[in-house]
Amino acid sequence: MPPLAAKAARAAFAGPTAEATNPHFLAFTNFVLNDDPKSVARALRSLLIGRKDEHRCLNTIRNVPVLIIAGEEDSEFPVHVGRKMADAIEGSTFGVLQHIAHLAARENSEGVDA
């Protein structure tokens, strides 16, 4: 993966808190970037270029418990985007995890589980 693309991928997946305090998470993201750069490139392409507006589809969800979790430091799906998604699903619950970025479950599994 070219250095510029790797830098963009790291920034997409790790927020400032992880960069400063979570070496295990950074080691994981570095491993994935080095081990499978093509899948990372595809993921970034689908997020940045191929993202479709699915709010009309989300609005059809009924009678199903839905929890939308946003990471406070997520640059790919910022909090306001998560809130808009939750607003499109009738009766959904919305929460924000502080100091967490895009890969919340990997970055802070205990916080997500709670």
Side-chain angles (χ1 to χ4, degrees), residues 14-55:
T17 301
E19 290 284 347
T21 65
N22 197 337
H24 296 292
F25 178 73
L26 297 178
F28 165 77
T29 58
N30 285 332
F31 174 81
V32 173
L33 287 169
N34 293 327
D35 188 59
D36 195 0
K38 287 183 182 179
S39 71
V40 173
R42 281 189 209 104
L44 289 174
R45 188 177 307 117
S46 71
L47 285 170
L48 301 173
I49 298 169
R51 188 185 298 183
K52 297 177 184 173
D53 187 343
E54 298 290 351
H55 288 91

Side-chain angles (χ1 to χ4, degrees), residues 7-15 40 43-49 51 71-82 85 100-103:
K7 183 178 179 181
R10 281 187 192 86
F13 298 133
V40 173
L44 289 174
R45 188 177 307 117
S46 71
L47 285 170
L48 301 173
I49 298 169
R51 188 185 298 183
E72 174 191 41
E73 298 177 0
D74 189 343
S75 63
E76 299 307 304
F77 286 95
V79 172
H80 74 276
V81 173
M85 180 186 298
I100 300 297
H102 189 68
L103 300 176

Side-chain angles (χ1 to χ4, degrees), residues 18 36 38 48 54 62 64 68 71 75 82 84 86 96 112:
D36 195 0
K38 287 183 182 179
L48 301 173
E54 298 290 351
R62 299 281 187 268
V64 178
I68 305 292
S75 63
K84 187 175 176 184
V96 177
V112 171

